[in-house]
């Protein structure tokens, strides 16, 4: 084989995979799937390229169209983890049935997303409630504009934990910790933000007391806990020794 006349398809599968794994999965699928080349078609459907799909910063409408119409229905059984933004979430999740999907990461999350999609009337209810066990939310709400943190705790944080019936992993973060609304449990019932199956929690809390409330037994199966705390000034007498 002439070293000056080597084409992509001249390479063995092992070398092709090494090259393609350095590329974005979305680009690999968009470029190689359904281009009338059986070999590349098979390679593109490898679990390496189809288990996790990241659509963040994908603003190409034609790319989303092609994925939803042609690509996702073909690889739907392989997909385990989606990463996307609210603008494309509903269309992608309704493009096919994903029997093995269990993980989601949602960027630019805001309270209105919860009120629109995390409801019994939502077209995505069955996916969220029955399939998702791991949820990561990159919160774009700002403390200064959400009003009462207790209301935000009830309407967003507690609602999410109640709505996602099979959630065992929950991570709610913000682009800047001090701007993200902190969970606030003081004076709220112990049934607020409750789960009998959650094992991992990472969240922003308003005070150190809120950490203590989270460890008072309401999260019975919790084994991993990570909290960013706004204030450690006070100490509650209610949950001292739990």
């Amino acid at each position: 084989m002439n070293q000056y006349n080597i084409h992509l398809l001249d390479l063995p599968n092992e070398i092709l995979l090494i090259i393609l794994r350095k590329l974005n999965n979305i680009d690999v699928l968009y470029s190689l799937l359904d281009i009338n080349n059986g070999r590349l078609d098979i390679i593109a459907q490898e679990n390496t390229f189809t288990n996790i799909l990241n659509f963040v910063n994908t603003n190409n409408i034609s790319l989303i169209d092609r994925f939803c119409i042609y690509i996702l229905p073909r690889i739907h059984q392989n997909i385990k983890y989606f990463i996307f933004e609210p603008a494309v979430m509903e269309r992608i999740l309704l493009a096919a049935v994903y029997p093995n999907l269990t993980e989601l990461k949602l960027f630019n999350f805001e309270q209105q997303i919860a009120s629109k999609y995390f409801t019994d009337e939502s077209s995505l209810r069955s996916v969220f409630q029955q399939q998702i066990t791991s949820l990561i939310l990159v919160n774009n709400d700002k403390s200064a504009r959400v009003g009462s943190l207790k209301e935000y705790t009830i309407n967003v944080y507690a609602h999410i934990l109640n709505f996602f019936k099979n959630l065992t992993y929950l991570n709610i973060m913000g682009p800047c910790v001090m701007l993200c609304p902190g969970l606030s449990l003081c004076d709220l019932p112990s049934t607020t933000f409750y789960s009998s199956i959650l094992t991992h929690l990472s969240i922003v809390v308003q005070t150190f007391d809120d950490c203590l409330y989270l460890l008072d037994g309401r999260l019975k199966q919790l084994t991993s806990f990570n909290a960013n705390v706004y204030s450690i000034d006070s100490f509650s007498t209610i949950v001292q020794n739990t």
Side-chain angles (χ1 to χ4, degrees):
M1 193 162 53
N2 190 313
Q3 62 177 329
Y4 299 109
N5 193 31
I6 297 176
H7 299 284
L8 183 67
L9 293 177
D10 294 326
L11 299 172
N13 285 357
E14 293 79 5
I15 302 301
L16 274 175
L17 283 170
I18 291 172
I19 295 172
L20 295 175
R21 283 170 182 158
K22 297 183 181 296
L23 304 177
N24 184 291
N25 291 3
I26 300 297
D27 294 333
V28 171
L29 290 166
Y30 183 76
S31 302
L32 300 186
L33 207 60
D34 287 332
I35 61 169
N36 296 319
N37 185 289
R39 183 181 170 211
L40 291 179
D41 199 78
I42 292 172
I43 290 175
Q45 293 183 70
E46 290 269 346
N47 288 340
T48 300
F49 307 114
T50 56
N51 281 175
I52 302 174
L53 296 184
N54 185 347
F55 287 94
V56 175
N57 297 323
T58 302
N59 300 316
N60 187 329
I61 300 301
S62 63
L63 182 147
I64 297 296
D65 287 344
R66 184 157 180 253
F67 263 88
C68 291
I69 296 170
Y70 299 109
I71 298 176
L72 294 176
R74 287 197 59 189
I75 63 172
H76 66 112
Q77 292 190 348
N78 292 5
I79 299 171
K80 298 179 180 180
Y81 185 5
F82 272 129
I83 304 170
F84 42 41
E85 297 178 271
V88 299
M89 176 178 71
E90 184 172 22
R91 189 173 181 202
I92 288 173
L93 290 178
L94 293 179
V97 175
Y98 309 100
N100 296 304
L101 177 67
T102 59
E103 300 181 63
L104 293 178
K105 183 173 184 178
L106 181 61
F107 280 79
N108 293 319
F109 171 80
E110 295 179 339
Q111 183 172 359
Q112 63 185 13
I113 303 301
S115 60
K116 181 177 180 180
Y117 293 110
F118 302 165
T119 71
D120 289 339
E121 292 74 35
S122 170
S123 58
L124 305 175
R125 178 181 60 83
S126 61
V127 176
F128 291 151
Q129 288 194 329
Q130 304 305 322
Q131 291 187 230
I132 302 305
T133 60
S134 175
L135 180 66
I136 301 175
L137 300 175
V138 182
N139 197 338
N140 197 40
D141 278 326
K142 304 294 187 294
S143 297
R145 69 187 187 197
V146 301
S148 167
L149 289 181
K150 285 187 173 57
E151 289 183 8
Y152 194 89
T153 293
I154 295 169
N155 296 331
V156 180
Y157 296 141
H159 177 70
I160 288 170
L161 203 55
N162 181 62
F163 182 72
F164 286 78
K165 302 296 185 183
N166 294 309
L167 205 62
T168 60
Y169 181 105
L170 177 61
N171 186 338
I172 302 177
M173 64 182 75
C176 176
V177 171
M178 296 310 294
L179 295 179
C180 179
L183 178 139
S184 179
L185 293 170
C186 184
D187 298 326
L188 292 178
S190 60
T191 51
T192 304
F193 206 77
Y194 167 89
S195 172
S196 61
I197 63 171
L198 193 74
T199 59
H200 174 95
L201 175 63
S202 182
I203 197 166
V204 176
V205 298
Q206 181 65 14
T207 70
F208 184 70
D209 283 357
D210 295 306
C211 291
L212 300 178
Y213 282 112
L214 288 172
L215 299 174
D216 66 2
R218 70 185 69 205
L219 303 175
K220 298 180 180 179
Q221 301 300 320
L222 195 67
T223 59
S224 176
F225 178 46
N226 179 29
N228 286 303
V229 186
Y230 284 156
S231 171
I232 315 182
D233 292 338
S234 61
F235 182 77
S236 172
T237 58
I238 300 174
V239 287
Q240 287 186 41
N241 299 314
T242 300

